[in-house]
Amino acid sequence: MNSILIEKTRAFFKSTFGNEPQKVVLSPGRINIIGEHIDYNDGFVLPAAIDKIICFAFEKSNTTTSRIVAIDLDEEFEVDLSQDIQHSTTVWNNYILGVLKQLQDNGFEFSGVNCVFSSNIPVGSGLSSSAALECGFLFGIQSLFDLEISQEKRALMGQKAEHWVGINCGIMDQFASVHGLENKVIKLDCNTLEYEYHNADFKDYALVLFDSNVKHSLFASAYNKRREQCEEGLAVIKTNFPEIKSFRNCTEAQLLTLKEKMDAEVFTRVHYVVKEIARVSKACEALDAGNIELLGQLLFETHDGLSREYEVSCPELDYLVELALADDAVIGSRLMGGGFGGCTITLIKKGKEEAVKQKFAQLYQEKWNIELKIYDVKIGNGTSLYEPVG
């Protein structure tokens, strides 16, 4: 699939600008295996880049003007780099403009580019197409003009570009898009940016994403309230256990002794966080040992916590996980992302995928009268140059 996308993008570039591109960049979306809602609670996350990408083709324009073409949208815009960069009324333009502004604000010297891009990352499915757009465009300019930018710096600049757009995201999406390695997941500390790779050989099982095709509007207010509740709970923990500096240092046994000292809802939120932090470490051990069945069980446990304790699921996602629990060909499933809609990430026995997908799609349609979108994914490399070009 990606080879078709690459050739389409290169051909479109040549028909638009009359030349072969000087650089072709591939920038992936991402998944998160486990570690949900703990990036802001001093925990670890376990993301990976995937084999769904945005393909960019670039050349220097040899002027101060950049012309950017979004093939899939049949839209384009120009920006004069000699002028102050301002927000656009067209949303996707701002992700590109945010990257250009980051490069300027960090003192990098570059000039205009001609660029076209096309994608096979499903938009709005929680696979971070925005991070792929930022990090891929940034890497293209870096490569064209031989700019000295480390991988970590590139991820942070991508994150700041998204902040400039108006989305106060964490670092996980950009970090995974930049640092991904084929068949590896990244155990990432979102505070220190320390990270380590772990094997992502799922052996006899395939990763499938079931997109609920719903997006409930509770997310923003619920997200802010969860953060406040976790801060309240952590304050109680620190008061009673002064040696504990963060959730990372708190055991479930210690937390249980404080149940009567916390608001009941605050306790359930914090209980999920402490258990989820522990599950990330268990998931790494399971992957390194090739124990994919244990990993699957951890996914089910995470969903149960997200649904009943953190309360960020929704009936449609819960139904998909119920179907997974009842199917012998499925060993694990959970909601992925912020919640209140989006995808479940599911491990299915190889050879059984098509039967499971057909069954889930039919039952989901009958239950909710909504089409279930389904994506097969594999763990892929981070943002990279495509070779050869020309």
Side-chain angles (χ1 to χ4, degrees):
M1 183 188 294
N2 287 349
S3 60
I4 296 171
L5 178 69
I6 292 164
E7 288 311 309
K8 179 185 87 169
T9 305
R10 293 176 67 188
F12 191 95
F13 185 94
K14 187 171 184 179
S15 69
T16 302
F17 296 107
N19 308 307
E20 291 287 350
Q22 293 172 313
K23 301 286 182 183
V24 173
V25 170
L26 312 180
S27 191
R30 70 97 189 97
I31 55 174
N32 187 29
I33 303 295
I34 201 165
E36 215 64 80
H37 281 283
I38 57 171
D39 55 332
Y40 55 85
N41 281 314
D42 201 34
F44 300 94
V45 290
L46 202 63
I50 58 173
D51 60 346
K52 298 194 182 303
I53 63 167
I54 301 177
C55 178
F56 300 81
F58 290 90
E59 70 175 0
K60 294 179 181 178
S61 69
N62 299 315
T63 69
T64 61
T65 298
S66 289
R67 181 182 171 196
I68 316 296
V69 184
I71 299 172
D72 308 328
L73 299 175
D74 192 25
E75 294 179 5
E76 65 175 85
F77 76 101
E78 291 188 353
V79 54
D80 185 347
L81 299 178
S82 66
Q83 306 294 317
D84 287 342
I85 291 176
Q86 305 288 337
H87 287 88
S88 167
T89 56
T90 304
V91 174
W92 72 266
N93 295 10
N94 287 322
Y95 292 97
I96 301 292
L97 294 169
V99 169
L100 293 170
K101 182 163 176 55
Q102 275 299 303
L103 286 161
Q104 289 184 347
D105 289 352
N106 281 272
F108 290 106
E109 292 188 9
F110 63 101
S111 58
V113 300
N114 294 323
C115 172
V116 307
F117 66 90
S118 184
S119 174
N120 58 25
I121 304 173
V123 176
S125 298
L127 301 181
S128 299
S129 57
S130 60
L133 183 60
E134 296 146 6
C135 295
F137 186 73
L138 176 53
F139 189 54
I141 291 183
Q142 176 184 347
S143 302
L144 267 179
F145 296 95
D146 297 317
L147 306 180
E148 292 279 339
I149 308 175
S150 68
Q151 284 186 306
E152 180 179 305
K153 178 71 170 175
R154 206 181 328 138
L156 288 167
M157 288 172 69
Q159 179 194 26
K160 288 179 180 176
E162 191 143 342
H163 290 176
W164 185 81
V165 173
I167 300 168
N168 191 27
C169 63
I171 189 59
M172 178 179 75
D173 297 348
Q174 290 81 7
F175 200 94
S177 190
V178 168
H179 289 80
L181 284 179
E182 188 173 1
N183 295 324
K184 296 286 183 181
V185 295
I186 309 165
K187 185 183 181 186
L188 171 64
D189 182 329
C190 292
N191 290 342
T192 66
L193 300 188
E194 293 175 347
Y195 66 99
E196 59 190 31
Y197 292 105
H198 290 268
N199 292 326
D201 178 2
F202 299 108
K203 298 186 180 294
D204 297 328
Y205 300 94
L207 269 181
V208 178
L209 306 181
F210 292 97
D211 184 349
S212 66
N213 218 0
V214 298
K215 199 173 289 291
H216 297 284
S217 59
L218 296 166
F219 178 71
S221 59
Y223 173 82
N224 291 333
K225 186 176 182 184
R226 299 302 183 279
R227 291 196 73 149
E228 291 167 6
Q229 290 171 323
C230 289
E231 289 167 8
E232 181 181 333
L234 184 58
V236 175
I237 293 169
K238 287 180 174 179
T239 298
N240 288 273
F241 294 100
E243 70 277 13
I244 293 177
K245 304 302 180 188
S246 75
F247 287 122
R248 194 180 297 185
N249 313 123
C250 183
T251 66
E252 186 180 5
Q254 288 171 317
L255 178 62
L256 290 171
T257 67
L258 303 177
K259 187 171 184 179
E260 303 307 318
K261 298 185 178 182
M262 285 187 197
D263 171 84
E265 195 171 79
V266 168
F267 175 82
T268 63
R269 307 295 191 242
V270 172
H271 192 222
Y272 164 77
V273 168
V274 169
K275 290 191 295 182
E276 182 72 350
I277 289 172
R279 276 191 289 266
V280 174
S281 294
K282 290 177 184 175
C284 291
E285 293 168 5
L287 283 166
D288 289 341
N291 190 347
I292 309 306
E293 292 78 10
L294 174 57
L295 176 66
Q297 183 57 42
L298 292 169
L299 296 187
F300 279 136
E301 290 177 13
T302 289
H303 184 82
D304 185 65
L306 288 167
S307 179
R308 293 193 307 108
E309 292 192 307
Y310 220 66
E311 294 186 283
V312 291
S313 188
C314 62
E316 296 90 347
L317 289 170
D318 286 344
Y319 180 68
L320 286 171
V321 175
E322 287 167 15
L323 291 178
L325 276 163
D327 197 305
D328 291 340
V330 180
I331 61 163
S333 184
R334 70 169 187 87
L335 76 84
M336 185 181 74
F340 304 108
C343 289
T344 61
I345 180 170
T346 303
L347 282 165
I348 303 175
K349 184 80 171 175
K350 286 180 179 175
K352 305 284 189 181
E353 305 103 299
E354 291 309 313
V356 170
K357 287 190 281 189
Q358 288 178 19
K359 182 173 108 176
F360 282 24
Q362 180 180 340
L363 292 172
Y364 191 80
Q365 178 74 41
E366 291 172 359
K367 175 78 171 175
W368 303 107
N369 196 28
I370 298 171
E371 179 187 0
L372 186 65
K373 296 179 180 177
I374 302 171
Y375 312 115
D376 299 307
V377 292
K378 291 184 172 61
I379 308 299
N381 287 313
T383 305
S384 61
L385 284 177
Y386 172 75
E387 302 289 355
V389 174

